[in-house]
Amino acid sequence: MLVYEFIPNGTLFQLIHGRNETLQISFSTLLRIAHEAAEGLHFLHSYASPPIIHGDVKTSNILLDENYMAKVSDFGASVLAPSDKEQYVTMVQGTVGYLDPEYMQTCQLTEKSDVYSFGVILLEVLTGEATLKLYGPEEKRSLTSNFLSAMKQNDLCAVVASHIKEQERIELIRGLGELAQNCLDMCGSNRPSMKEVADELNRLRKLLLHPWLGLNTEEMETPADTSFQTENSIVEYPVLESQNLPIDSISSNYAR
């Protein structure tokens, strides 16, 4: 039996594609939600025992609590990560528009299948568009194909939502676009891991909060932040033991 807590703010899908004109959600909030969801998937892939592949990553499976904190949900298509690389899933499950093309060809579900689906989520955040359209020119009905075509032509701004283009720096938009492009690589082995995706989203969030840092922050040897300021509250994250960070240094570095 699965027991869920009450989720008053629905799903990320409803937040992005809802018709409530009075609800104004900032891009920083959307980026935070994406980061939290990436951290959740990273936990499933790396720290759950045994590791879990979600199998149906999409915006409607990211629930939002009273503080718009992300909760990855719906494990009906999930599988335990196979210990034997030759183990195959015989029946393809998932949602059209999010399915990894490599998974559809090989029937082998991997962590990189979740990464591909998460790349589609990043496109929804960037564009505000649904994954599939039933109208308009055929070449523009697929959000993924339309985005990859724009990236190939070096015209990312052609598909980015107008309010994001008007309010956010081009470095941030390009950084998120390139991350999505890497997630959507046709070859699963070329895609980043969910840890790498989460780390990059954390870096982009720091750029959003502190624009003077610039995108190239790799030389700055600072530990990952363990709490983030949201519009209504501070969300605290537990520090994984594998980071080997002393508690004293964490509390002193991140005291608000």
Side-chain angles (χ1 to χ4, degrees):
M1 179 183 292
L2 294 178
V3 181
Y4 287 112
E5 62 188 283
F6 178 62
I7 302 293
N9 286 314
T11 68
L12 180 57
F13 180 90
Q14 293 169 332
L15 190 67
I16 295 175
H17 307 294
R19 302 303 180 190
N20 189 348
E21 299 293 339
T22 63
L23 185 61
Q24 297 294 326
I25 302 299
S26 67
F27 182 67
S28 62
T29 297
L30 291 174
L31 196 59
R32 174 182 58 77
I33 291 170
H35 178 220
E36 290 172 356
E39 290 283 9
L41 291 170
H42 165 45
F43 178 86
L44 292 178
H45 291 177
S46 303
Y47 293 100
S49 182
I52 298 171
I53 302 172
H54 189 283
D56 194 18
V57 176
K58 56 184 178 181
T59 48
S60 59
N61 281 342
I62 298 176
L63 309 183
L64 304 172
D65 69 8
E66 64 276 6
N67 295 316
Y68 288 93
M69 184 177 182
K71 310 279 187 175
V72 177
S73 70
D74 194 347
F75 298 91
S78 300
V79 299
L80 300 180
S83 56
D84 183 356
K85 292 185 179 180
E86 298 302 318
Q87 181 178 342
Y88 285 85
V89 177
T90 57
M91 184 176 66
V92 175
Q93 300 182 74
T95 303
V96 175
Y98 296 90
L99 278 171
D100 172 16
E102 191 172 68
Y103 170 41
M104 290 191 288
Q105 292 176 355
T106 65
C107 294
Q108 185 178 20
L109 186 66
T110 69
E111 290 92 343
K112 296 301 181 73
S113 302
D114 283 351
V115 172
Y116 182 94
S117 301
F118 191 82
V120 181
I121 289 178
L122 294 181
L123 297 191
E124 291 181 82
V125 170
L126 264 177
T127 67
E129 300 287 341
T131 58
L132 293 172
K133 295 179 180 178
L134 300 179
Y135 56 87
E138 185 174 350
E139 66 274 9
K140 293 185 178 296
R141 292 182 182 178
S142 168
L143 176 60
T144 302
S145 298
N146 195 28
F147 165 78
L148 292 176
S149 176
M151 291 294 286
K152 187 176 182 180
Q153 298 173 20
N154 197 27
D155 192 17
L156 173 60
C157 287
V159 295
V160 174
S162 57
H163 69 279
I164 295 179
K165 286 188 291 187
E166 294 167 359
Q167 299 175 15
E168 305 302 335
R169 297 172 59 193
I170 187 62
E171 294 92 342
L172 177 64
I173 295 173
R174 186 180 297 114
L176 193 58
E178 290 175 351
L179 177 60
Q181 184 180 33
N182 291 337
C183 291
L184 297 171
D185 195 293
M186 292 297 290
C187 180
S189 61
N190 293 335
R191 299 170 198 155
S193 66
M194 281 311 308
K195 180 185 186 306
E196 291 170 326
V197 173
D199 288 346
E200 179 63 9
L201 286 171
N202 185 42
R203 191 164 70 98
L204 292 174
R205 288 189 62 203
K206 289 180 178 179
L207 175 66
L208 187 65
L209 295 173
H210 311 292
W212 57 86
L213 290 178
L215 269 176
N216 187 17
T217 58
E218 293 180 356
E219 297 179 357
M220 299 178 60
E221 296 184 359
T222 57
D225 200 344
T226 58
S227 68
F228 301 105
Q229 179 71 50
T230 68
E231 284 78 357
N232 301 315
S233 67
I234 291 182
V235 179
E236 297 291 341
Y237 289 89
V239 178
L240 296 173
E241 292 180 359
S242 61
Q243 289 177 302
N244 296 321
L245 297 177
I247 296 299
D248 290 341
S249 66
I250 294 170
S251 59
S252 61
N253 288 341
Y254 297 106
R256 289 289 185 252

